[in-house]
Amino acid sequence: MMAAGGARSGARSLARLLKSTSFSPSYTPAARLFGRGIVRAYATETTSTTTSGRRREQDDTHATTQTSSDPSSGTKSDKQLKFTADSYPEVQRSSRFKKLDQDDIAYFRSILSENGVLVDEDAESFNVDWMRKFRGQSRVVVKPKSSSEVSKVLKYCNEKMLAVVPQSGNTGLVGGSTPVFDEVILSMTGMNKIRSFDEVSGCLVADAGCILENVDNYLADRQHIFPLDLGAKGSCLIGGNAATAAGGLRLLRYGSLHGNILGLEVVLPDGTILDNLSTLRKDNTGFDLKQLFIGSEGTIGVITAMSVLCPQRSSAVNVAFFGVESYEKVLEAFVKAKSHLSEILSAYEFMDGGTQAFVSRHSDLKRPFEGDYPFYVLVETSGSSKEHDDEKLSGFFEDLLESGIVADGAVAQDATQAKALWSLREGITECLGKEGGTYKYDMSAPLTVLYSLVDATREKLIADDLLGEGKPVVDVVGYGHLGDGNIHLNVPVRSYDKRVERSLEPFVYEWVQRHRGSISAEHGLGLSKGKYIGYSKSPDMVDYMKRIKALFDPNGILSPYKYLPPEETA
């Protein structure tokens, strides 16, 4: 068998790199560099029991999943869940809001379709989030099918002082899309039409209730791609993606929704339809108001439609998976990836060894090489020329090997293997919850200190005598979108324990504040994090957010108790 050094010296293109190596009998026909080397392909006969045959799981979420975009698929066991109001006793229902009565229900039925109003038992499953962590007490769900119907609902609720919670695919993680008390649930699932697509400009105009995966499939048929990809793509709705400024797996390549959304149609709390559904890439006339609604989580208006700039779909996609000995090497590999892969680099994900230990224990997923490593990296490239991309990848791999940055690795040869490699990243979420539950934090910080949060949290829990055999905490792990400076801190536990919560909070938020990071990189604030916004934003910034909320929603009917500190929204 040829040594790694001999293979490296002969590699001048990816094809020559592969031809110069021996085959490993433990894999399907494949080229491999032995020792500290690269695997070109690997066996994929065994598929994951956690991901096979179902939609990909929501990124960084609880083990319990919701696989329907319409939460009416819930069960009566939802009634056994604790009410959100009981879990957050410090949040009190505002006396200024009216309680729903039969006249209100009759009005909703008069303006909406026959199936557009769900009451009592039929509304129960909409009260529960997909993680089964939050449970509201709303008696009614309204399901408008047009912006004019949304306008009528909001105008009425504003006049009657009925609180409203807009609900998209209900795949969030911070309690933003379910009622805290008895708010009217405004479900956007009925607005699900693609209005237009311009194949010349790549501009898509669609209703807010379109499922992300359906939109992406529609674009795929036209050789385009939606600039956002999430694990919950089979359930989440694009309006909710905009309202939460969702990040996801394609942000490194295509940027955030703040840059890709060209225009919005928004219904304000008083029923005004704000039509800013522009398809222009350049419009320098006045304030760019749409930016206020992107990431506002439904607190100042309800997004009913959006126009999005969609890139051309790449015809050449490669996925590689590496074992790495340290976090410092993960950063070094990222620098090399940017240098060699540049314009074709579409994803750079990292995971620590702890996450992959959970994947190994709780799924049939197999890594493409032997041995365990402290860290793993998944790299994806997307381009238009296979030969061009292979040449770039060859230089990248050769540099990684010669510099000793990676210990081992694999490259997918086809779509099946690429999906299997992605499953090692996307399967983490479900596997982490298999031993009881998981406390989850979505943070951003400077890359040089990003993983230090995991080490610091582990040390804190050990010092508080909460981590180890026979103790509530199983482990502390981290993974995420390194290319975006985003880490998902996860604390798997055998059972939820108030001692663990007191140990974690506000410790993790204080750590983030010290390092000038964000307490929510992409999951939003909702009910869970609104009170902690001060760890990421100054008092002056919070004050101006309060003023913006009061300007658009003076009665405070939209998503009360959320997003801002309680005293600002109660």
Side-chain angles (χ1 to χ4, degrees):
M1 297 182 183
M2 185 175 291
R8 291 199 299 269
S9 63
R12 291 297 177 266
S13 69
L14 186 60
R16 289 183 61 188
L17 177 66
L18 299 179
K19 289 177 182 177
S20 67
T21 60
S22 303
F23 287 89
S24 170
S26 61
Y27 296 97
T28 55
R32 178 181 174 94
L33 289 175
F34 286 88
R36 205 170 56 211
I38 300 295
V39 183
R40 176 60 182 176
Y42 55 93
T44 55
E45 287 85 353
T46 303
T47 56
S48 169
T49 57
T50 62
T51 58
S52 177
R54 69 168 64 171
R55 295 184 180 100
R56 295 186 298 170
E57 304 299 344
Q58 163 75 21
D59 184 26
D60 194 33
T61 54
H62 211 285
T64 306
T65 59
Q66 174 184 317
T67 56
S68 170
S69 63
D70 189 333
S72 59
S73 59
T75 65
K76 290 186 182 298
S77 62
D78 290 342
K79 291 185 176 181
Q80 300 170 2
L81 301 175
K82 191 175 183 180
F83 286 122
T84 300
D86 294 331
S87 299
Y88 291 80
E90 70 276 11
V91 181
Q92 298 294 310
R93 186 187 187 280
S94 175
S95 59
R96 71 177 183 270
F97 295 130
K98 174 180 181 284
K99 287 185 176 291
L100 186 81
D101 59 32
Q102 290 303 314
D103 290 340
D104 302 321
I105 294 173
Y107 174 77
F108 294 143
R109 283 179 169 155
S110 73
I111 63 170
L112 301 176
S113 65
E114 182 179 353
N115 299 319
V117 182
L118 305 178
V119 180
D120 296 332
E121 289 287 327
D122 293 332
E124 179 60 32
S125 60
F126 289 79
N127 276 285
V128 180
D129 77 308
W130 75 283
M131 297 184 300
R132 298 167 60 78
K133 180 180 179 181
F134 300 97
R135 181 188 173 200
Q137 303 171 58
S138 178
R139 289 187 54 215
V140 65
V141 177
V142 294
K143 303 175 74 173
K145 293 185 176 181
S146 68
S147 55
S148 62
E149 289 185 353
V150 174
S151 173
K152 291 175 183 177
V153 168
L154 289 182
K155 185 174 188 296
Y156 179 85
C157 290
N158 194 55
E159 292 172 350
K160 298 293 184 179
M161 287 300 293
L162 286 167
V164 178
V165 56
Q167 185 176 100
S168 192
N170 204 12
T171 59
L173 292 112
V174 290
S177 60
T178 51
V180 180
F181 299 102
D182 56 350
E183 299 92 284
V184 173
I185 299 174
L186 175 59
S187 171
M188 298 303 296
T189 56
M191 293 191 64
N192 52 22
K193 301 292 189 299
I194 292 177
R195 301 187 185 184
S196 66
F197 177 65
D198 183 349
E199 296 193 27
V200 177
S201 67
C203 183
L204 173 85
V205 180
D207 287 348
C210 291
I211 296 173
L212 175 58
E213 187 171 44
N214 292 350
V215 173
D216 197 48
N217 289 339
Y218 171 90
L219 290 167
D221 292 338
R222 292 153 181 82
Q223 291 74 53
H224 282 72
I225 190 171
F226 199 82
L228 171 73
D229 185 26
L230 298 174
K233 67 191 299 181
S235 302
C236 64
L237 310 184
I238 62 172
N241 298 152
T244 56
L249 304 171
R250 292 176 180 162
L251 191 142
L252 176 63
R253 175 64 177 275
Y254 301 117
S256 75
L257 290 179
H258 280 284
N260 289 299
I261 291 177
L262 300 177
L264 293 175
E265 178 184 82
V266 180
V267 181
L268 302 182
D270 65 358
T272 298
I273 299 176
L274 196 62
D275 184 359
N276 184 31
L277 207 56
S278 171
T279 59
L280 302 175
R281 294 189 68 175
K282 299 180 75 173
D283 180 4
N284 202 19
T285 54
F287 294 114
D288 191 4
L289 292 180
K290 69 176 182 291
Q291 299 297 346
L292 285 175
F293 299 96
I294 301 171
S296 66
E297 299 183 35
T299 58
I300 59 175
V302 177
I303 296 172
T304 53
M306 55 198 291
S307 55
V308 187
L309 186 64
C310 301
Q312 193 80 19
R313 188 171 288 265
S314 300
S315 57
V317 177
N318 288 285
V319 180
F321 191 85
F322 301 108
V324 185
E325 294 289 359
S326 68
Y327 179 68
E328 289 70 28
K329 296 290 186 185
V330 171
L331 296 181
E332 289 178 33
F334 181 49
V335 173
K336 296 289 187 183
K338 291 191 294 180
S339 174
H340 286 282
L341 305 177
S342 187
E343 78 282 356
I344 64 171
L345 181 62
S346 54
Y348 192 94
E349 302 288 306
F350 90 104
M351 331 116 261
D352 63 17
T355 63
Q356 291 303 296
F358 274 84
V359 171
S360 296
R361 287 202 299 271
H362 299 295
S363 80
D364 293 330
L365 289 169
K366 303 296 182 185
R367 291 192 296 275
F369 42 75
E370 300 295 330
D372 297 324
Y373 295 95
F375 292 91
Y376 299 90
V377 169
L378 183 147
V379 177
E380 181 186 80
T381 65
S382 303
S384 59
S385 170
K386 184 179 186 304
E387 291 75 16
H388 171 267
D389 294 359
D390 283 355
E391 188 69 29
K392 280 181 167 286
L393 284 166
S394 175
F396 176 51
F397 297 155
E398 193 172 358
D399 197 354
L400 290 180
L401 291 168
E402 290 177 346
S403 58
I405 292 175
V406 300
D408 210 341
V411 182
Q413 279 199 320
D414 54 40
T416 299
Q417 292 181 356
K419 183 177 180 180
L421 287 178
W422 267 112
S423 293
L424 292 168
R425 163 64 174 86
E426 294 180 330
I428 294 171
T429 288
E430 187 172 356
C431 294
L432 286 176
K434 292 293 187 179
E435 297 181 23
T438 312
Y439 291 100
K440 296 176 175 291
Y441 298 91
D442 162 47
M443 310 293 199
S444 61
L447 287 178
T448 53
V449 299
L450 191 64
Y451 191 76
S452 301
L453 173 60
V454 178
D455 295 331
T457 303
R458 182 182 294 109
E459 292 170 4
K460 177 69 161 58
L461 290 167
I462 291 173
D464 291 343
D465 198 29
L466 295 169
L467 191 156
E469 194 66 34
K471 295 171 184 175
V473 178
V474 180
D475 201 356
V476 181
V477 299
Y479 65 100
H481 319 298
L482 189 103
D484 311 335
N486 180 190
I487 189 170
H488 300 310
L489 170 69
N490 281 241
V491 182
V493 292
R494 296 176 176 86
S495 62
Y496 291 111
D497 192 310
K498 287 293 183 183
R499 293 175 299 164
V500 176
E501 295 175 20
R502 289 193 293 268
S503 180
L504 291 171
E505 298 177 9
F507 171 80
V508 292
Y509 300 125
E510 291 171 345
W511 186 97
V512 169
Q513 185 180 48
R514 286 197 305 274
H515 293 88
R516 299 184 65 83
S518 171
I519 65 168
S520 182
E522 61 181 0
H523 292 163
L525 295 168
L527 176 65
S528 300
K529 292 186 176 181
K531 62 183 177 182
Y532 297 117
I533 191 173
Y535 287 101
S536 291
K537 295 292 186 286
S538 69
D540 285 343
M541 293 184 74
V542 174
D543 179 58
Y544 273 91
M545 291 179 192
K546 171 189 172 183
R547 298 186 192 192
I548 291 171
K549 167 71 173 176
L551 175 66
F552 282 95
D553 185 17
N555 287 337
I557 66 163
L558 279 182
S559 293
Y561 324 110
K562 301 172 183 176
Y563 198 67
L564 294 172
E567 65 271 18
E568 310 291 2
T569 57

